[in-house]
């Protein structure tokens, strides 16, 4: 066996990435292969005060969870009207992402550890696109740019699931429309970066077995 150093799971909210990632760590350990679980979507550090300020001012009259379409429209108008501030906000978010991925993914890999990453640069690129489409219009290009600084996964999986099913699973998802837009992009990224597509509606043991089979090369 020559298991990859970095395995990444991507997909919409509610697709089951976290549950699968943690089960994979346990199953791999049972096989004598030690992996660490990493949540690859940055926690806001420098962005936190800017985000709070934005929601107290320009975004105060809209709520992403109550009306996602209105929230997205207002956000786009704000980005167009306050281009310089939007640029600063986006760059600060990039700094947060870089710090998080450097400390949680790149450094451990350099130290010889194996990682199963719940979200990674693919999800980061999608987040950046929906944050500011004028600054990050080409999601595939953004991913390629990020992979210049961070290692490409040895195995990449897309957990695909109908938006309606994902929406029922999680109470904090703004709307089905929110998921529908992202599903299309995830499917495109899976083709561009040769991801293995897993059915998020199937029993989780099926997905665990498929990943383990590809991880170990044992049929």
């Amino acid at each position: 066996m020559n298991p990859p150093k970095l395995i990444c799971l991507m997909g919409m909210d509610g697709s089951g990435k976290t549950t699968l990632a943690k089960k994979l760590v346990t199953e791999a350990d049972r096989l004598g292969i030690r992996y660490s679980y990493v949540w690859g979507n940055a926690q806001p550090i420098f962005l936190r005060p800017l985000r709070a300020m934005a929601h107290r001012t320009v975004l105060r009259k809209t709520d992403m969870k109550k009306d996602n379409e209105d929230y997205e429209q207002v956000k786009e108008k704000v980005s167009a009207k306050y281009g310089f501030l939007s640029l600063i906000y986006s760059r600060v978010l990039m700094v947060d992402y870089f710090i998080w991925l450097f400390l949680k993914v790149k450094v451990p890999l350099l130290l010889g550890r194996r990682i199963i990453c719940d979200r990674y640069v693919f999800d980061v690129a999608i987040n950046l696109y929906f944050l500011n489409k004028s600054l990050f219009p080409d999601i595939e290009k953004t991913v390629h740019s990020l992979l210049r600084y961070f290692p490409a996964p040895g195995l990449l999986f897309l957990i695909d699931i109908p938006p309606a099913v994902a929406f029922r699973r999680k109470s904090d998802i703004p709307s089905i429309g929110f998921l529908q837009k992202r599903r299309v992009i995830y499917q495109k990224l899976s083709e561009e970066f040769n991801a293995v597509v897993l059915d998020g509606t199937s029993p989780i043991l099926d997905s665990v077995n498929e990943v383990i089979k590809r991880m170990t090369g044992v049929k």
Side-chain angles (χ1 to χ4, degrees), residues 139-166:
I139 298 173
E140 289 91 343
K141 185 177 179 180
T142 301
V143 172
H144 282 296
S145 297
L146 289 168
L147 289 176
R148 292 170 55 192
Y149 302 97
F150 299 102
L155 282 173
L156 173 64
F157 296 89
L158 167 65
I159 307 177
D160 190 38
I161 188 171
V165 177

Side-chain angles (χ1 to χ4, degrees), residues 96-167:
D96 276 352
Y97 278 137
F98 266 72
I99 292 174
W100 185 264
L101 292 177
F102 181 78
L103 294 177
K104 295 295 183 177
V105 178
K106 190 162 188 175
V107 170
L109 288 174
L110 290 173
L111 294 175
R113 299 177 187 171
R114 290 187 176 93
I115 290 174
I116 294 178
C117 209
D118 172 7
R119 300 171 175 84
Y120 193 43
V121 296
F122 313 95
D123 309 83
V124 168
I126 292 175
N127 290 343
L128 291 170
Y129 170 77
F130 282 105
L131 172 67
N132 194 319
K133 295 177 184 178
S134 62
L135 288 177
F136 305 98
D138 189 328
I139 298 173
E140 289 91 343
K141 185 177 179 180
T142 301
V143 172
H144 282 296
S145 297
L146 289 168
L147 289 176
R148 292 170 55 192
Y149 302 97
F150 299 102
L155 282 173
L156 173 64
F157 296 89
L158 167 65
I159 307 177
D160 190 38
I161 188 171
V165 177
F167 187 69

